[in-house]
Amino acid sequence: MAKAKRPVKTENERRTVTVEAAADADAEEAAAELTGEPTPGDADAQALPAPDLDAELKEAREEAAAHLDDLLRARAEMENLRKRSEREVENAHKYGLERLMSELLPIKDSIELGLNAADDAEVDAEKLREGLELTLKLFNTATGKFGLEEVNPEGQSFDPEYHQAMSTQEVAGKEPGTVITVVQKGYLLNDRLLRPAMVIVAA
């Protein structure tokens, strides 16, 4: 036997079915609201856990307290560093010359010994000279440790950066601008001019 063909729905009939289904869904949702029964959308919303505001507030307060503690610690460390730096600067001002003084004390002792020897009526001039030379050597050694360097430019060309001309003289056999006499030696301290050499220059 031939199968019976299903009647084909027209476009208007399809639209009618769709509208009726939507109307039925709206009617079910409205009925659920009136009766208090949950709809499928409400069930999904109820499945989400509610945020724990108290726990979040507690966590935020703990984080804020930790940040505040870190800030206070940093401030305390900065204050301790500032005080320590001030003490170090103060000590540097007080005791910065301690090493230099320790080096100069033997020189003072040598000078005092020389003066005591000079009071002796039978003092040997040669021994007194040797003592003075020894004292000068001690001085040069002590100051050399701190970067003091002597500027003694006799026979050299005049250098206005390190020499100060007191006068000029014509000297046979000397080129103009040559230092012929050092009246007072100059000194450098760690390569920086401490005092220029006072000189007489050939004209």
Side-chain angles (χ1 to χ4, degrees):
M1 293 180 62
K3 294 182 179 179
K5 295 184 179 180
R6 295 180 180 179
V8 179
K9 294 182 179 180
T10 65
E11 183 66 24
N12 289 333
E13 289 175 341
R14 290 194 189 96
R15 291 179 179 176
T16 301
V17 171
T18 302
V19 171
E20 290 177 350
D24 292 341
D26 291 340
E28 290 178 359
E29 183 175 353
E33 291 179 355
L34 292 175
T35 59
E37 296 179 357
T39 62
D42 292 338
D44 293 340
Q46 291 177 358
L48 296 176
D52 190 345
L53 298 180
D54 290 338
E56 293 181 359
L57 179 59
K58 181 180 179 182
E59 182 179 357
R61 286 177 175 174
E62 290 176 351
E63 290 181 359
H67 291 320
L68 179 60
D69 183 66
D70 292 340
L71 176 61
L72 294 177
R73 289 177 181 272
R75 285 183 177 178
E77 291 178 0
M78 290 297 295
E79 182 65 16
N80 292 335
L81 178 61
R82 183 185 65 81
K83 291 180 178 179
R84 184 165 60 251
S85 298
E86 289 179 352
R87 286 195 302 268
E88 290 176 354
V89 171
E90 183 179 358
N91 290 335
H93 289 162
K94 284 184 178 180
Y95 308 112
L97 298 177
E98 182 177 3
R99 184 171 166 232
L100 175 60
M101 293 298 103
S102 297
E103 295 290 341
L104 293 180
L105 286 178
I107 301 172
K108 181 176 181 295
D109 295 337
S110 180
I111 293 173
E112 290 175 347
L113 289 174
L115 290 174
N116 291 334
D119 291 337
D120 190 349
E122 299 179 357
V123 62
D124 187 341
E126 185 61 27
K127 289 184 178 180
L128 185 58
R129 178 182 176 84
E130 290 177 0
L132 290 174
E133 290 177 348
L134 177 60
T135 301
L136 181 59
K137 183 178 180 180
L138 288 173
F139 178 83
N140 290 335
T141 301
T143 55
K145 293 179 180 179
F146 293 87
L148 188 68
E149 183 180 352
E150 188 177 82
V151 178
N152 186 13
E154 186 172 351
Q156 302 175 10
S157 298
F158 177 77
D159 186 348
E161 187 175 354
Y162 298 104
H163 312 152
Q164 183 174 341
M166 299 182 64
S167 64
T168 59
Q169 292 181 4
E170 292 185 3
V171 179
K174 295 292 184 179
E175 293 184 3
T178 301
V179 176
I180 56 177
T181 304
V182 177
V183 179
Q184 185 181 75
K185 296 177 182 178
Y187 290 93
L188 300 174
L189 182 59
N190 295 319
D191 298 326
R192 181 177 179 180
L193 184 64
L194 183 63
R195 186 181 76 182
M198 309 294 288
V199 299
I200 299 175
V201 185

